[in-house]
Amino acid sequence: MNTDALLQGRFKDLANKAYQKNIYTFTNFLSASDLDIFYSILPDINHVPYQIFGGREGCDRVMIRFGSEDMTGYELPFPITILQITPLLDKFSDELTHRDVLGSLMNLGIEREMTGDIVMKESSRSGKRNTAYVFCVSSIADYITDNLTRIKHTNVRCTICPDDDLPDIVPTLEEFQCIAASERIDAAIASITKLSRSQTVTLFREKKVFLNNRVLENNSYNLKPEDTLSIRGYGKFIYKGCGHETRKGRIYLTFERYV
């Protein structure tokens, strides 16, 4: 049985358990590819209420909760805890990346499905990008705070953000423009990635393109303002619209890049 079939079976088991026992059930964190598999079997479990959430609005990695207050008679929040990771000595810390943080978590033996989004922020003192907010399954929060003490060459402190004092955790966006033949998604991706139009076909074929958190295989789709575009290996972007044309009839496309 392949991985997709196993995941489909897992979704169905959780949904049926919630429905039959009148309880809530939860997945661990899911990627956009995982979520696309969930949508493919949704007609089979559409009798079970569900909610998708990742800890805040707009998360890339999310959990699914099967069940509802109407069905169970009570409310149960998602088992998501937000951790703040900061350097012990801000002045002498490294610049840290999403990959640095994720690598240190996986070195602790933590599976990727146990962690959600990782949001990097700049220090208010040094200006270095060395502060991270990690969304994780609540059951492993204490383990991470006790054991995550170093990222790259930087000694760090890991604490649980109190529910009543959560910071405004939003990703940093950077606006940029590129020139493309049209608003077709393959043309935009070619401009962003510096690949040829024919090379971008491989990205679609290998299911590396996600539009609004769904796998997209239609390379002729025309982008619309506020579409969220993710290209595995290249980043995540929000399309803002097109501007004036060049003398050769090409157009300027404006995006916001997650940094």
Side-chain angles (χ1 to χ4, degrees):
M1 187 178 294
N2 62 35
T3 304
D4 288 1
L6 287 171
L7 191 54
Q8 288 175 349
R10 177 62 175 160
F11 289 142
K12 291 178 182 179
D13 288 345
L14 288 171
N16 290 329
K17 182 179 179 180
Y19 185 75
Q20 292 166 5
K21 296 188 176 182
N22 284 337
I23 61 173
Y24 289 101
T25 58
F26 298 87
T27 66
N28 288 326
F29 284 100
L30 305 169
S31 67
S33 297
D34 298 334
L35 203 56
D36 206 59
I37 294 170
F38 167 72
Y39 287 127
S40 73
I41 57 102
L42 196 53
D44 298 331
I45 56 173
N46 59 11
H47 58 289
V48 184
Y50 70 92
Q51 185 179 355
I52 297 173
F53 186 57
R56 61 171 173 82
E57 293 301 319
C59 280
D60 287 334
R61 295 179 61 79
V62 295
M63 287 182 177
I64 300 173
R65 181 183 69 180
F66 295 103
S68 67
E69 187 172 2
D70 288 342
M71 187 180 86
T72 64
Y74 65 97
E75 177 66 19
L76 186 65
F78 281 75
I80 298 174
T81 297
I82 302 175
L83 306 176
Q84 183 187 50
I85 302 171
T86 54
L88 291 180
L89 295 174
D90 185 81
K91 181 178 180 181
F92 301 106
S93 72
D94 294 312
E95 291 268 355
L96 302 178
T97 66
H98 179 284
R99 181 173 294 182
D100 295 329
V101 177
L102 180 58
S104 295
L105 290 169
M106 297 185 77
N107 285 338
L108 295 178
I110 295 171
E111 298 290 338
R112 186 65 178 107
E113 66 180 19
M114 302 302 286
T115 58
D117 281 14
I118 299 172
V119 180
M120 303 303 302
K121 307 296 284 185
E122 292 181 351
S123 164
S124 58
R125 297 188 297 276
S126 66
K128 294 180 180 179
R129 187 173 294 275
N130 58 17
T131 298
Y133 292 95
V134 177
F135 296 74
C136 71
V137 177
S138 296
S139 60
I140 65 165
D142 288 338
Y143 175 77
I144 296 175
T145 58
D146 290 342
N147 292 278
L148 184 61
T149 58
R150 191 176 181 85
I151 300 176
K152 288 181 69 176
H153 304 100
T154 301
N155 293 321
V156 298
R157 176 189 299 106
C158 186
T159 57
I160 294 175
C161 296
D163 291 339
D164 57 352
D165 189 30
L166 288 178
D168 185 19
I169 306 170
V170 294
T172 302
L173 299 173
E174 177 182 84
E175 186 174 288
F176 73 99
Q177 287 187 323
C178 59
I179 300 175
S182 70
E183 290 183 284
R184 267 183 55 141
I185 194 166
D186 57 351
I189 290 176
S191 183
I192 291 171
T193 62
K194 310 304 180 187
L195 298 173
S196 68
R197 289 281 286 273
S198 59
Q199 287 174 317
T200 64
V201 173
T202 302
L203 296 176
F204 288 93
R205 185 181 301 124
E206 295 178 351
K207 298 184 177 182
K208 293 183 177 180
V209 178
F210 301 88
L211 184 74
N212 301 323
N213 290 324
R214 299 287 300 272
V215 173
L216 182 70
E217 297 182 70
N218 175 18
N219 67 329
S220 64
Y221 173 85
N222 283 322
L223 287 169
K224 300 177 179 60
E226 303 306 319
D227 275 344
T228 299
L229 170 65
S230 296
I231 312 166
R232 186 169 294 167
Y234 293 92
K236 180 179 178 181
F237 314 87
I238 300 175
Y239 179 58
K240 306 305 291 185
C242 62
H244 60 276
E245 291 188 5
T246 67
R247 291 181 179 179
K248 295 184 178 181
R250 295 164 66 84
I251 57 175
Y252 285 88
L253 305 180
T254 301
F255 289 90
E256 289 181 337
R257 178 192 289 115
Y258 284 75
V259 297

